[in-house]
Amino acid sequence: MSTGLDNRALATWTPCCHRTGHRRGGLDREDARTVGKQNRRRRTGRKAVPGPTLDAAALSNDPARIAEAIATAAVISTQGDRIGVRKLINHLADSGRPAPEVAEAVQMASSRLVAQAFEFGWLPMDVHQAARRRVDNFAVAYLTDVMANHCAPFAPESIDETWQEQLDGLAATCWWDTEREHLTQWADRALLTGHEALASVVAALALLIQLPKLGLIRPLPGTARTHTSHHVVDEKTLGRVRGLLAKAESTTFGEEAESLSAKAQELMTKYAIDRVLLEASTAAADLPAARRIWLDTPYTEAKALLIDMVTRANRCRAIFVSDWGFVTVVGDETDLDAVELLTTSLLVQATRTMIDTAADSEESRSRAYRKAFLTAYATRIGERLAAAAEATIAESDPAQLLPILASHQQQVDRAFDTYFPTVRTRGITIRSAEGWDAGTQAADRAHFGNH
């Protein structure tokens, strides 16, 4: 069964790679566009334009030339040329341990490419999340050090608080002796040979090269304002919401979990109402901000739909970048706090409910069933969260509140259009009626009455 879900379409955005001819994805992966180009060349007799080449013998001991060669190796590795990469690594580490000029060159190439990634709108946690999905743990650790080194020269007050929170969360610090080459100290710490260390460096830089241009959602290091009026949810409200969601995640009763989640939504909506009314009578609100929420496979489309439903209930807008597996949410800072809290909890609840309520059948263990279940669950839960938010708004002073909320939504829409000027919607196709029905019934069992 194949059912198009027109009213469950996701806003999606496919960013363009910043280097012509580079493919997004794994090193051996061929997409339809590449295959199409190859077929056209066969029909027309045209030859492919040769990519960058390496001449390891001509590098001498010049760190700048070696840095260019290392960057070129990263480029050709994305095109699947493992032989060329291996030849360069063998040449640079032929003594078993990279020479000082090689370590200096690695630092030069790494600094340049990570700075470019940040200028393209990638935050430290975005780089980390992309890396842990596409490269090994050694390359992930190397990138963490590169990001720490990039931010080290900047005064603490000139680093945006979100940047600092993410760097702290990654434990990104300059742990090494900065008077000596980082590469050799990192390799010794990771117990890597010179060949292994350079291979991990090339893999890490290849990832940076593939990162497409996004929008700048936070100021770069060195450009942040000394004082920011960052909205935060007060700790009392935040504690109550977290407590409700923790209970929802721990209970084995689906109806209780749904009711607790609805109560959390009600609390966040009440807090948002109080805030917008206060801001309307005092000072202008901050411009809407944006955050990225990364999703783990499988069923990323269904999970993205769940996030989209939560954002709608909390006066935000979301867009799914499917190539990389993350959702960007645009909205007021306190509303973004609510979205993050609720989506994290609801993703846990949805997965557990799917497993607990599945019938013992081959159909219920299929990918089609689980995708359909999560899609239906997301749709129904979204409707109920929206109803809970609307009921809370109705209990306030609608005549005063609705014009303010409408103005707020216009600000969010303008910010969204600025971040994503070209957006398309894509429907989600389901192929399991049983999974759809089970997901809907699981969500319908929730009782959103008086709390």
Side-chain angles (χ1 to χ4, degrees):
M1 174 181 178
S2 177
T3 304
L5 306 180
D6 295 348
N7 60 335
R8 283 163 284 275
L10 279 174
T12 61
W13 181 60
T14 304
C16 296
C17 276
H18 57 279
R19 278 182 172 41
T20 303
H22 294 180
R23 293 197 304 273
R24 295 181 296 272
L27 300 185
D28 295 325
R29 184 178 174 184
E30 287 192 338
D31 56 22
R33 187 166 25 182
T34 303
V35 174
K37 288 181 179 178
Q38 292 173 347
N39 290 337
R40 287 193 295 275
R41 290 189 189 114
R42 294 190 189 100
R43 290 195 300 268
T44 61
R46 289 185 298 174
K47 295 182 179 180
V49 177
T53 59
L54 289 169
D55 185 3
L59 296 178
S60 184
N61 294 322
D62 182 0
R65 297 179 69 179
I66 297 173
E68 288 297 328
I70 292 170
T72 301
V75 171
I76 67 173
S77 73
T78 67
Q79 300 168 347
D81 185 1
R82 290 187 175 88
I83 295 176
V85 173
R86 192 179 303 119
K87 286 181 178 178
L88 177 69
I89 291 175
N90 290 339
H91 177 79
L92 296 179
D94 59 351
S95 62
R97 188 179 183 87
E101 62 269 18
V102 173
E104 182 182 351
V106 165
Q107 186 64 48
M108 291 170 61
S110 301
S111 298
R112 184 170 70 245
L113 289 175
V114 80
Q116 180 175 260
F118 290 152
E119 289 169 1
F120 280 7
W122 290 74
L123 299 177
M125 188 57 70
D126 298 326
V127 174
H128 173 78
Q129 292 290 351
R132 77 177 188 85
R133 287 162 171 79
R134 301 195 178 206
V135 295
D136 63 26
N137 290 335
F138 295 115
V140 172
Y142 179 77
L143 285 171
T144 301
D145 286 357
V146 171
M147 292 189 288
N149 186 67
H150 174 86
C151 296
F154 297 101
E157 62 271 15
S158 71
I159 298 179
D160 175 72
E161 60 183 334
T162 298
W163 271 76
Q164 193 59 58
E165 289 171 2
Q166 294 189 5
L167 291 169
D168 292 343
L170 296 174
T173 59
C174 294
W175 55 266
W176 60 94
D177 181 358
T178 55
E179 298 297 320
R180 298 166 48 214
E181 303 90 352
H182 166 264
L183 179 64
T184 52
Q185 296 178 73
W186 170 73
D188 290 344
R189 189 189 203 193
L191 303 178
L192 297 176
T193 66
H195 288 77
E196 293 168 340
L198 287 174
S200 291
V201 167
V202 170
L205 299 189
L207 173 74
L208 294 178
I209 284 173
Q210 293 179 92
L211 297 180
K213 189 171 185 178
L214 306 176
L216 275 177
I217 61 175
R218 304 301 303 180
L220 293 170
T223 66
R225 293 176 295 172
T226 303
H227 300 288
T228 60
S229 55
H230 182 83
H231 286 303
V232 292
V233 182
D234 72 275
E235 287 302 317
K236 182 177 180 181
T237 301
L238 204 58
R240 292 182 64 191
V241 170
R242 283 175 174 160
L244 288 167
L245 295 178
K247 290 180 181 178
E249 292 173 23
S250 62
T251 182
T252 58
F253 299 100
E255 180 177 337
E256 182 183 9
E258 309 286 351
S259 297
L260 289 166
S261 298
K263 180 63 176 177
Q265 174 67 72
E266 178 187 329
L267 281 176
M268 295 301 292
T269 301
K270 285 181 177 178
Y271 180 82
I273 289 173
D274 292 341
R275 175 181 49 76
V276 297
L277 289 174
L278 177 63
E279 288 176 347
S281 61
T282 55
D286 286 349
L287 291 175
R291 295 185 196 175
R292 297 185 183 117
I293 300 175
W294 285 78
L295 301 172
D296 289 322
T297 57
Y299 320 117
T300 53
E301 282 188 345
K303 293 174 182 178
L305 179 63
L306 178 59
I307 295 175
D308 185 56
M309 291 297 179
V310 175
T311 62
R312 296 185 190 189
N314 287 277
R315 301 156 298 283
C316 300
R317 289 186 66 181
I319 190 164
F320 179 37
V321 183
S322 57
D323 285 356
W324 290 88
F326 66 83
V327 176
T328 301
V329 183
V330 178
D332 186 84
E333 291 284 5
T334 47
D335 292 335
L336 294 178
D337 289 337
V339 169
E340 278 198 309
L341 283 170
L342 287 166
T343 53
T344 300
S345 178
L346 287 170
L347 285 171
V348 172
Q349 295 179 52
T351 302
R352 188 194 61 213
T353 304
M354 176 182 66
I355 295 172
D356 291 347
T357 60
D360 187 14
S361 65
E362 183 176 350
E363 170 75 7
S364 65
R365 292 188 291 271
S366 68
R367 287 181 61 88
Y369 174 94
R370 294 186 173 187
K371 179 182 177 181
F373 182 101
L374 290 173
T375 303
Y377 189 91
T379 302
R380 197 73 181 111
I381 290 302
E383 292 170 353
R384 295 200 159 201
L385 288 178
E390 290 171 3
T392 304
I393 292 172
E395 292 173 0
S396 64
D397 183 357
Q400 180 186 12
L401 182 61
L402 290 179
I404 298 174
L405 291 179
S407 176
H408 170 85
Q409 189 62 52
Q410 289 176 356
Q411 292 183 29
V412 171
D413 291 341
R414 283 195 297 269
F416 185 88
D417 293 339
T418 300
Y419 288 127
F420 307 103
T422 56
V423 175
R424 63 186 178 90
T425 57
R426 182 176 65 188
I428 300 178
T429 301
I430 61 169
R431 293 182 171 84
S432 172
E434 181 180 336
W436 178 264
D437 292 341
T440 303
Q441 291 168 12
D444 276 339
R445 281 195 292 270
H447 176 64
F448 292 172
N450 295 327
H451 305 289

